[in-house]
Amino acid sequence: MNADFRINGKVIETERLILRPFRQTDLEDFYEYASVEGVGEMAGWKHHESIAESQSIMNSFISNDKVFAICLKENNKVIGTVGIEKYGLEDALTEFKDYYGRELGYVLSKDYWGNGLVPEAVNAVIDYLFNELDYDFLLCGYYNFNERSKRVQEKCGFKPYRSLAMTTQMGTKEQGTLMLLMNPKKNIKLVFSHRETLIFE
């Protein structure tokens, strides 16, 4: 089942990054990368067409308090996000009914692709969710055209779980893969539902 989650002021530090809650002063940095064509589209949302759109979305990040801003340590510039989202199909995926988890989502500024920053951020969040909040599992997904996202998830230890047609925020349907990561400290044996979409071994 979906675990309750709020950032509640949590700050996570890595070698090159600081992950922290969004602030109103992050708007220009957020718009700078979210308005670039091809960034959001890889994650299923249309790039922002105005700073007002970015402001509205950033306001929801702040009020919902479940999306970390990825900041470069060297200059505190916001270059992406890691969101700890509720996973869908909670009632259908009965294998998780006795366990607590969430779904991770992430985006990175195109200027910083290929530098290993997303795995660095995601691994730090996984460590926090498993070792401090004691989650049982995490889900993460990618559209099959997004090889970069697939590689990030593989680097972070996620395993292919289900093959699904996913609806993007733009209203299109894309074939995608849902990935699964179990907390390695726990001896969890899942009894999987809906085997027609299952690819987990």
Side-chain angles (χ1 to χ4, degrees):
M1 65 185 77
N2 276 296
D4 292 329
F5 180 80
R6 289 185 78 83
I7 294 174
N8 283 331
K10 176 70 178 177
V11 176
I12 301 172
E13 207 168 303
T14 71
E15 182 183 350
R16 296 177 289 175
L17 303 170
I18 294 171
L19 308 180
R20 59 161 175 78
F22 267 87
R23 306 167 183 155
Q24 288 295 342
T25 50
D26 297 326
L27 179 59
E28 287 188 11
D29 287 348
F30 180 40
Y31 177 67
E32 183 181 317
Y33 76 78
S35 61
V36 174
E37 189 170 356
V39 173
E41 282 80 0
M42 297 302 281
W45 49 269
K46 195 174 189 321
H47 62 281
H48 298 181
E49 295 185 347
S50 69
I51 199 162
E53 183 180 357
S54 294
Q55 178 74 75
S56 174
I57 291 167
M58 195 181 77
N59 287 346
S60 74
F61 288 170
I62 292 169
S63 63
N64 293 327
D65 198 31
K66 57 186 173 58
V67 177
F68 283 103
I70 303 175
C71 308
L72 281 177
K73 233 183 214 181
E74 63 189 41
N75 57 12
N76 206 34
K77 184 179 182 66
V78 176
I79 60 167
T81 61
V82 179
I84 294 83
E85 309 289 347
K86 286 188 173 181
Y87 68 92
L89 303 174
E90 185 178 35
D91 292 339
L93 302 179
T94 55
E95 54 262 42
F96 302 127
K97 66 183 173 61
D98 297 323
Y99 302 105
Y100 288 93
R102 297 282 282 210
E103 183 171 347
L104 298 187
Y106 48 81
V107 174
L108 188 72
S109 166
K110 209 171 193 174
D111 291 343
Y112 299 93
W113 288 3
N115 294 315
L117 291 170
V118 173
E120 186 173 323
V122 170
N123 276 323
V125 171
I126 291 169
D127 181 69
Y128 171 58
L129 297 177
F130 279 171
N131 294 320
E132 291 191 45
L133 298 189
D134 202 35
Y135 283 13
D136 299 307
F137 71 93
L138 292 167
L139 295 171
C140 200
Y142 63 88
Y143 299 107
N144 289 353
F145 60 76
N146 191 346
E147 280 291 324
R148 286 179 180 275
S149 195
K150 176 185 178 181
R151 288 198 298 273
V152 166
Q153 291 171 43
E154 289 173 343
K155 283 179 184 175
C156 294
F158 285 87
K159 304 293 184 191
Y161 163 54
R162 292 187 183 275
S163 179
L164 297 170
M166 301 178 179
T167 303
T168 71
Q169 289 180 29
M170 299 176 287
T172 61
K173 275 203 179 294
E174 300 286 350
Q175 196 60 33
T177 301
L178 199 57
M179 306 280 274
L180 173 63
L181 181 64
M182 305 300 296
N183 188 330
K185 296 188 305 180
K186 302 189 178 194
N187 185 28
I188 295 171
K189 303 294 185 191
L190 297 175
V191 179
F192 290 105
S193 60
H194 296 279
R195 303 195 73 84
E196 68 278 6
T197 63
L198 188 67
I199 50 178
F200 193 79
E201 295 177 3

